[in-house]
Amino acid sequence: MARQPKPDGRKTPRRESTLRRRPAHRDPLPPILVVCGAMNTEPAYLKGLLASVDNRAVAVKIKICAQDPVSVVRHTVAERNKAGDHYHQAWCVLDVVEFAHLEEALRLAADENVEVALSNPCFELWLLLHFRDHRAAVTGYAQAKKHLCGHHPNYSKAAREFDFGRYRAGWPEAVERARKLAKKGEEAKVNPSSAMWRLVQQIAPTHPSV
């Protein structure tokens, strides 16, 4: 006679109870288009952040247009329009420093419904905020780099390799610090400031403080 398994008091099979514990499936949102106005640091940072937070509900397409701000905005508009309704949002990542016609670029972005993650004076200010609160004016890239090198030795904007590991633990604090520096849309007038926190909010919306 075959042995009968002992009852374990369960009313449903183990497999069914395991399936019930699985989190609900979330359909991904339409992708976000991000066009960076620089070749190396900005796109590498964003790729590192995306890999770190691993938010599968958000897809981000990163493109590069290493030109003046007006050209970056025009390129963003062209890429978005070419894709039809594919993108949920379109963003430009820009600096204040070293570029003319910034006001024209910001007006064009507003007219075309393109968001701008503007850092004043430069993206390195955003990186610095990962390590400490900084509210004193920064004259430009050279001074921002000097401050940043105290936390990221030998940092260079031109470097082909970018170590996001240095910034992985600090981005939530950078968000909190940056959002206190300037109101939305006033980054061009406030030094230091960075609107990168608003873009990060789209990539990692589950962060409790954004």
Side-chain angles (χ1 to χ4, degrees), residues 19-31:
L19 290 172
R20 286 181 175 180
R21 289 196 297 269
R22 292 180 180 176
H25 174 71
R26 293 182 61 191
D27 292 330
L29 295 171

Side-chain angles (χ1 to χ4, degrees), residues 29-196:
L29 295 171
I32 298 171
L33 172 65
V34 180
V35 178
C36 298
M39 289 290 296
N40 299 317
T41 303
E42 287 87 331
Y45 172 92
L46 288 169
K47 290 175 183 177
L49 177 65
L50 285 165
S52 178
V53 300
D54 191 25
N55 184 359
R56 299 181 184 181
V58 177
V60 180
K61 181 67 174 181
I62 300 170
K63 292 182 176 287
I64 297 171
C65 179
Q67 299 182 44
D68 63 277
V70 174
S71 296
V72 175
V73 175
R74 287 175 176 166
H75 183 80
T76 304
V77 173
E79 288 290 325
R80 182 196 61 192
N81 292 349
K82 183 172 64 176
D85 296 330
H86 180 65
Y87 292 114
H88 173 56
Q89 297 178 9
W91 286 77
C92 296
V93 177
L94 299 173
D95 290 354
V96 168
V97 72
E98 297 180 357
F99 286 113
H101 310 298
L102 179 62
E103 291 185 4
E104 180 184 349
L106 296 178
R107 285 196 299 270
L108 178 61
D111 290 343
E112 294 289 348
N113 196 30
V114 170
E115 298 284 350
V116 179
L118 182 69
S119 295
N120 190 350
C122 55
F123 187 78
E124 284 66 30
L125 182 279
W126 166 251
L127 296 180
L128 180 62
L129 293 174
H130 287 63
F131 303 102
R132 62 183 174 90
D133 195 8
H134 186 94
R135 303 199 181 194
V138 179
T139 57
Y141 169 74
Q143 188 178 43
K145 177 183 175 181
K146 183 178 179 181
H147 289 309
L148 184 58
C149 280
H151 308 278
H152 186 163
N154 301 316
Y155 170 85
S156 172
K157 195 178 189 72
R160 292 183 177 273
E161 299 296 328
F162 179 80
D163 181 12
F164 181 80
R166 294 178 181 271
Y167 301 89
R168 181 175 292 110
W171 69 261
E173 286 73 22
V175 166
E176 291 300 315
R177 292 161 182 158
R179 69 189 303 182
K180 296 175 183 177
L181 293 177
K183 294 180 180 179
K184 178 182 177 181
E186 296 188 359
E187 292 83 11
K189 303 175 183 178
V190 179
N191 180 339
S193 65
S194 177
M196 275 297 298

